[in-house]
Amino acid sequence: MAELKERKDIPQEYKWDIESMYASEEAWEKDVEEAKRLADVFASYAGRLKDGGESLLLEALDTFSRLYRTLENAYTYAAQKKDEDSRVSKSQERY
């Protein structure tokens, strides 16, 4: 039976380049906070779009797009960190 290797023992070319998404945990946390802020901004459009004209609708859609991209990046990073090594509790909590 093949021996199960530790992540540190696997050559770099066979690992995800997750650092290209976020260089540090702090950068990831910054995006999570930005997503929370954008969610609040997006929620503020509720009930105002029908009377706000095209510019307000465009602003709301732009906010939604930025929110979605930020959340998708943060989620993907958290999921990949979780799958790197399921024994790392911090990665499990982040996900």
Side-chain angles (χ1 to χ4, degrees):
M1 182 173 204
E3 178 183 338
L4 195 57
K5 294 182 178 182
E6 294 284 327
R7 181 168 173 76
K8 63 181 175 57
D9 298 328
I10 297 173
Q12 189 61 35
E13 64 263 20
Y14 300 115
K15 298 178 190 178
W16 292 322
D17 183 17
I18 198 163
E19 286 76 24
S20 66
M21 292 182 73
Y22 293 102
S24 67
E25 298 291 321
E26 292 78 21
W28 177 80
E29 290 170 2
K30 182 179 175 187
D31 255 9
V32 170
E33 291 304 315
E34 177 65 3
K36 291 176 184 177
R37 186 190 72 76
L38 287 169
D40 288 341
V41 171
F42 186 67
S44 75
Y45 293 107
R48 300 185 313 143
L49 293 178
K50 66 179 180 176
D51 300 321
E54 290 179 17
S55 63
L56 188 63
L57 178 59
L58 182 60
E59 187 180 306
L61 291 173
D62 180 61
T63 300
F64 177 77
S65 180
R66 288 184 293 135
L67 170 60
Y68 183 82
R69 279 193 313 270
T70 304
L71 278 175
E72 183 66 22
N73 287 343
Y75 170 80
T76 300
Y77 178 85
Q80 288 184 342
K81 287 298 274 185
K82 178 184 74 74
D83 291 341
E84 263 184 356
D85 188 342
S86 60
R87 298 169 294 176
V88 178
S89 62
K90 183 173 182 177
S91 295
Q92 301 298 317
E93 292 167 6
R94 185 182 303 116
Y95 184 71

